C-alpha cells in the first residue's frame, strides 16, 4: 500500500512529482494557490509541455490516486509533504525564498506532528536545518530530496532516475527511510547524506553542467579561429569515459529555469564564505558573451560585416524555447538573441513548435504558427533551438521564399544531405567555414 503524500506546488517539478508518485502507487494530494490551474488540472488539462505527463495526470485522476486542490487543509493526514515551490533568483544572485516561507507559515497550522517535510525545491545550503525556526514547525522532521529532472525528460528522469539523493540528520534515519520508500518502485540507487551536502549537490551539479557548456561554446569559437570542426573535436572528446558525450554541443548559450539561477547562487554562496570559484564566474561571463557572438555572426551573414546595420532587415528565427522538448522560455538564449535583433531594429519573425502566437513576454517578436512563414523575404534564417523537426522542413522550398539564402545554424542542426542543391549558405557554430563566408550547398 502506498503512502499518503502531499505536494505543495503544481509547477514543473511539483506536477511531475505528484503525477509520478501517483503512478508508483501512492495517494497524492497536490496543492497550488492558483485556482484556475487547479480547476484545469482536475479535468486532466496540463499546460506544461512534457512528454508523458498529461497521460500520467489523467491516469492518477481516473484511478483516484491523484487529487488537486487549492486548500492546504487537505494535507492534514499526509505522512510526507514535498515542497516544490519556485525559488527564483533574488537580489545579488541569491535565491528568493519568499514563496517557500509563505507556504511554511501555512503548513505550520496544518501538518500532523509525525509528518516528514521534504524540500524538493532548489534551496540554499542550510535551508533544511533552518526550516523549523523559520516556520514554527519545531519538532517536524525535515529531509532534503533535491530533484534532478531535465525538461523534456522529466517523467523519464523521475521514474527511472540514475540516483535518489536524500539528506537528513544522522539521528533521523526513520524519516530518511520514509522518503526513500516513495521511490521504491523505481529501483534507483539511494544515496544518503546530511541535508547540507544534498542541498549543495544540486547546485554543484547544475553549475558543473554550465561550466561544461561554456567550455564547449568557447571551444567552438577557437575551432573557427584555427579551422577545426567542433563536431569532430567533441566527437573525440565524448568517447573518453571521463568526459562523456553529454553537454558537448555548442549553441547560442545556456539558459532555462535552473542553470542560470543555480550557477549564480552557487557563486554567491562561495563568495559569501571567502571561496574564489573563478571557473563558475568565468562560465557565466562566457555565456553572456555567447549571445553577442551570435549577433555578430548574424550581422556578418546579412551585411558581410560584424558591425553592419540590421535596421529594417527581416530575420527568420527557428526556435524560441531554451532547448528542444519544452515550451519553456525562462532565461532562453534564443529569446535573448531575438530581442537583441529587435533592439538593432531588425524585423523578427519566429516559429517554435511549442510557443504559440500571442505568448506573453515576446513584444516586438512576431510569432507565427507555420515554420515556412519565417522565410518570407528574410535576409537570413537563424536556428536557435535544436528541434529535430526542423531537419524535416523542405529547405528547397524555404530557399525560394527568402530574400537572401543564408542560414546561421547556432546548433549545427542541419547537414549536407538536407541542404544540397538548395543554394543556401550556412554559417555553423565552430564548424569549418563558420568564421568566414560559410559553406554554400
Amino acid at each position: 500500500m502506498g503512502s499518503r503524500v502531499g505536494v505543495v506546488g503544481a509547477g514543473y517539478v511539483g506536477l511531475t512529482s505528484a503525477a509520478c508518485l501517483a503512478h508508483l502507487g501512492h495517494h497524492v494530494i497536490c496543492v497550488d494557490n492558483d485556482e484556475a490551474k487547479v480547476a484545469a488540472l482536475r479535468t486532466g488539462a496540463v499546460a506544461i509541455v512534457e512528454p508523458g505527463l498529461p497521460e500520467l495526470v489523467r491516469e492518477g485522476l481516473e484511478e483516484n490516486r491523484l487529487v488537486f486542490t487549492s486548500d492546504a487543509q487537505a494535507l492534514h493526514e499526509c505522512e510526507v509533504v514535498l515542497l516544490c515551490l519556485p525559488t527564483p533568483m533574488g537580489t545579488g544572485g541569491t535565491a528568493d525564498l519568499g514563496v517557500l516561507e509563505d507556504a511554511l507559515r501555512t503548513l505550520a497550522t496544518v501538518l500532523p506532528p509525525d509528518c516528514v517535510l521534504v524540500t524538493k525545491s532548489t534551496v540554499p545550503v542550510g535551508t533544511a536545518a533552518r526550516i523549523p525556526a523559520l516556520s514554527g514547525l519545531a519538532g517536524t522532521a525535515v529531509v532534503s530530496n533535491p530533484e534532478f529532472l531535465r525538461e523534456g525528460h522529466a517523467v523519464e528522469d523521475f521514474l527511472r532516475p540514475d540516483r535518489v539523493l536524500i539528506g537528513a540528520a544522522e539521528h533521523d534515519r526513520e524519516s530518511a527511510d520514509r522518503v526513500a520508500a516513495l521511490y521504491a518502485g523505481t529501483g534507483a540507487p539511494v544515496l544518503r547524506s546530511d541535508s547540507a551536502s544534498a542541498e549543495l549537490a544540486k547546485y554543484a551539479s547544475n553549475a558543473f553542467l554550465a561550466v561544461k557548456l561554456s567550455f564547449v561554446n568557447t571551444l567552438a569559437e577557437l575551432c573557427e579561429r584555427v579551422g577545426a570542426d567542433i563536431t569532430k573535436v567533441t566527437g573525440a572528446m565524448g568517447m573518453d569515459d571521463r568526459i562523456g558525450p553529454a553537454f558537448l554541443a555548442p549553441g547560442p548559450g545556456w539558459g532555462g529555469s535552473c542553470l542560470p539561477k543555480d550557477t549564480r547562487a552557487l557563486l554567491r554562496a562561495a563568495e559569501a564564505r571567502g571561496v574564489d570559484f573563478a571557473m563558475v564566474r568565468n562560465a557565466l561571463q562566457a555565456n553572456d558573451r555567447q549571445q553577442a557572438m551570435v549577433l555578430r555572426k548574424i550581422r556578418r551573414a546579412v551585411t558581410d560585416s560584424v558591425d553592419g546595420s540590421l535596421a529594417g532587415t527581416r530575420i527568420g528565427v527557428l526556435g524560441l524555447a531554451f532547448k528542444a522538448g519544452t515550451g519553456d522560455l525562462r532565461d532562453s538564449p534564443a529569446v535573448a538573441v531575438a530581442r537583441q535583433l529587435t533592439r538593432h531594429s531588425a524585423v523578427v519573425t519566429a516559429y517554435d513548435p511549442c510557443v504559440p502566437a500571442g505568448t506573453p513576454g515576446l513584444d516586438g517578436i512576431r510569432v507565427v504558427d507555420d515554420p515556412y512563414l519565417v522565410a518570407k523575404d528574410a535576409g537570413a534564417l537563424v536556428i536557435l533551438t535544436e528541434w529535430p523537426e526542423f531537419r524535416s522542413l523542405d529547405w528547397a522550398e524555404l530557399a525560394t521564399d527568402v530574400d537572401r539564402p543564408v542560414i546561421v545554424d547556432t546548433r549545427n542542426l542541419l547537414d549536407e544531405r538536407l541542404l544540397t542543391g538548395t543554394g543556401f549558405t550556412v554559417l555553423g557554430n565552430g564548424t569549418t567555414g563558420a568564421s568566414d563566408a560559410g559553406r554554400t550547398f
Side-chain angles (χ1 to χ4, degrees):
M1 180 178 176
S3 300
R4 296 188 302 277
V5 182
V7 175
V8 182
Y12 199 92
V13 173
L15 186 57
T16 301
S17 300
C20 288
L21 287 170
H23 178 72
L24 292 172
H26 303 291
H27 297 274
V28 182
I29 298 172
C30 185
V31 177
D32 195 283
N33 60 9
D34 186 333
E35 294 187 1
K37 180 192 291 186
V38 168
L41 288 170
R42 284 173 174 165
T43 70
V46 176
I48 296 171
V49 177
E50 182 60 44
L53 185 57
E55 292 81 358
L56 287 189
V57 169
R58 289 193 289 270
E59 173 194 286
L61 292 169
E62 290 167 2
E63 297 184 3
N64 296 316
R65 287 200 303 269
L66 180 58
V67 173
F68 294 101
T69 180
S70 58
D71 184 5
Q73 292 293 329
L75 303 173
H76 72 283
E77 292 185 350
C78 287
E79 301 165 82
V80 180
V81 170
L82 278 59
L83 297 171
C84 302
L85 296 162
T87 54
M89 186 168 59
T91 304
T94 58
D96 182 349
L97 299 183
V99 174
L100 181 69
E101 292 172 357
D102 287 344
L104 288 171
R105 283 188 284 270
T106 299
L107 293 176
T109 65
V110 173
L111 299 186
D114 59 345
C115 179
V116 176
L117 192 61
V118 179
T119 56
K120 207 155 188 65
S121 306
T122 303
V123 294
V125 178
T127 299
R130 293 196 302 271
I131 279 179
L134 283 172
S135 61
L137 285 164
T140 298
V142 181
V143 172
S144 177
N145 174 221
E147 53 86 13
F148 296 98
L149 306 179
R150 299 168 297 164
E151 291 195 37
H153 302 271
V155 169
E156 175 189 354
D157 288 346
F158 195 103
L159 296 177
R160 286 175 288 278
D162 46 25
R163 81 285 203 196
V164 173
L165 178 57
I166 297 174
E170 181 63 31
H171 66 270
D172 196 7
R173 293 190 61 84
E174 180 185 353
S175 296
D177 289 344
R178 286 166 66 180
V179 177
L182 300 179
Y183 300 92
T186 69
V190 176
L191 306 180
R192 309 289 187 110
S193 75
D194 57 277
S195 59
S197 296
E199 290 163 340
L200 184 56
K202 168 64 176 180
Y203 283 112
S205 295
N206 280 348
F208 184 83
L209 295 175
V211 169
K212 193 173 182 182
L213 287 169
S214 283
F215 176 90
V216 77
N217 280 333
T218 305
L219 184 64
E221 184 178 2
L222 178 60
C223 284
E224 294 183 7
R225 302 290 179 90
V226 302
D229 189 320
I230 189 66
T231 61
K232 293 180 172 58
V233 173
T234 56
M237 292 171 60
M239 294 183 72
D240 188 326
D241 289 341
R242 298 168 300 175
I243 299 172
F247 283 73
L248 284 182
W254 41 268
S257 63
C258 293
L259 261 62
K261 75 177 182 67
D262 291 353
T263 302
R264 285 183 171 85
L266 180 66
L267 182 61
R268 295 297 175 264
E271 290 173 344
R273 292 159 178 83
V275 176
D276 183 11
F277 223 146
M279 66 187 70
V280 173
R281 182 170 55 253
N282 291 340
L284 286 161
Q285 293 170 348
N287 197 49
D288 291 338
R289 291 195 301 270
Q290 190 69 7
Q291 291 158 18
M293 182 277 292
V294 171
L295 182 63
R296 290 196 301 273
K297 186 166 292 192
I298 295 170
R299 279 176 151 171
R300 184 170 67 244
V302 174
T303 71
D304 299 319
S305 170
V306 295
D307 55 3
S309 173
L310 293 174
T313 302
R314 294 185 178 276
I315 304 292
V317 165
L318 289 168
L320 289 170
F322 85 94
K323 71 171 186 175
T326 178
D328 199 341
L329 300 179
R330 288 175 290 180
D331 268 312
S332 169
V335 172
V337 170
R339 284 176 176 154
Q340 283 205 41
L341 289 169
T342 63
R343 282 196 289 271
H344 286 82
S345 301
V347 180
V348 178
T349 301
Y351 168 80
D352 189 292
C354 285
V355 181
T359 298
L362 295 174
D363 295 345
I365 302 168
R366 179 187 174 219
V367 180
V368 296
D369 58 6
D370 182 342
Y372 292 92
L373 293 177
V374 305
K376 182 66 174 175
D377 299 327
L381 299 179
V382 184
I383 298 175
L384 294 174
T385 309
E386 71 283 20
W387 286 102
E389 46 261 62
F390 291 161
R391 294 192 185 100
S392 302
L393 296 176
D394 187 335
W395 288 95
E397 179 181 341
L398 288 165
T400 65
D401 291 333
V402 297
D403 181 60
R404 183 182 176 104
V406 175
I407 301 169
V408 177
D409 186 357
T410 70
R411 299 284 188 168
N412 295 332
L413 191 68
L414 307 180
D415 57 34
E416 185 173 353
R417 175 182 58 83
L418 298 172
L419 297 173
T420 298
T422 63
F424 269 118
T425 296
V426 180
L427 280 76
N429 188 355
T431 58
T432 304
S435 63
D436 44 50
R439 296 179 63 197
T440 300
F441 294 89

